[in-house]
Amino acid sequence: MAAQDRTRRLSPRLISQDVDSLHGLQTITTYDTTRTDASATKLQQAYQAMLTQQQAETEKLTLYRAAADAARLAEWEFHNAVLAMKDVVRGQYGTDSDQAQAVGLKKKSDRKRPTRRKSVAIAS
């Protein structure tokens, strides 16, 4: 048997086949083995543990998504508040003030003025 890579998830199809096999085993009334890792009790315990962990994963993913949405909304709320504050500073102190520069706005006088380009006549 090849070495198992337990760092990757099993495909849902493979898990479904395993569950079908477990359900099929439950119809065999004479199944008995000396291998403890293949006993019906061990299989049932492993199945229940898998279901419990999958449920916990789903619950945590739901909580994560809710927390991510809340953080995203809070980030936008903060960003919009900063934009409003910059508008107030621009309106209260002017676009060419030191206060505007202090909140991250560029002073109007520091902006480069556009320059005219000299057109070059092409002689033919």
Side-chain angles (χ1 to χ4, degrees):
M1 185 171 186
Q4 295 177 339
D5 181 8
R6 290 180 164 217
T7 60
R8 67 173 179 81
R9 298 290 296 257
L10 294 173
S11 70
R13 191 182 102 230
L14 182 59
I15 293 173
S16 179
Q17 289 172 350
D18 289 346
V19 170
D20 289 344
S21 296
L22 174 64
H23 290 239
L25 175 68
Q26 292 170 343
T27 64
I28 304 172
T29 57
T30 59
Y31 179 77
D32 190 28
T33 182
T34 56
R35 286 184 58 180
T36 56
D37 62 332
S39 69
T41 305
K42 174 68 175 178
L43 286 165
Q44 193 61 39
Q45 288 172 350
Y47 177 64
Q48 289 303 319
M50 178 189 72
L51 292 178
T52 301
Q53 292 302 318
Q54 286 176 336
Q55 180 180 355
E57 177 187 30
T58 301
E59 291 168 357
K60 288 176 182 172
L61 279 172
T62 303
L63 292 173
Y64 165 77
R65 288 183 186 125
D69 285 346
R72 179 182 45 80
L73 291 174
E75 289 165 356
W76 274 103
E77 189 69 29
F78 173 69
H79 177 67
N80 288 333
V82 169
L83 291 178
M85 175 268 304
K86 286 181 178 182
D87 282 344
V88 168
V89 168
R90 195 179 298 126
Q92 200 169 15
Y93 299 103
T95 56
D96 200 32
S97 66
D98 290 336
Q99 292 84 354
Q101 189 177 20
V103 296
L105 297 171
K106 193 165 189 175
K107 281 182 156 183
K108 192 172 185 178
S109 61
D110 289 344
R111 294 189 186 274
K112 251 188 170 177
R113 301 206 190 292
T115 57
R116 292 189 180 197
R117 298 173 127 201
K118 290 185 179 181
S119 59
V120 177
I122 300 175
S124 23

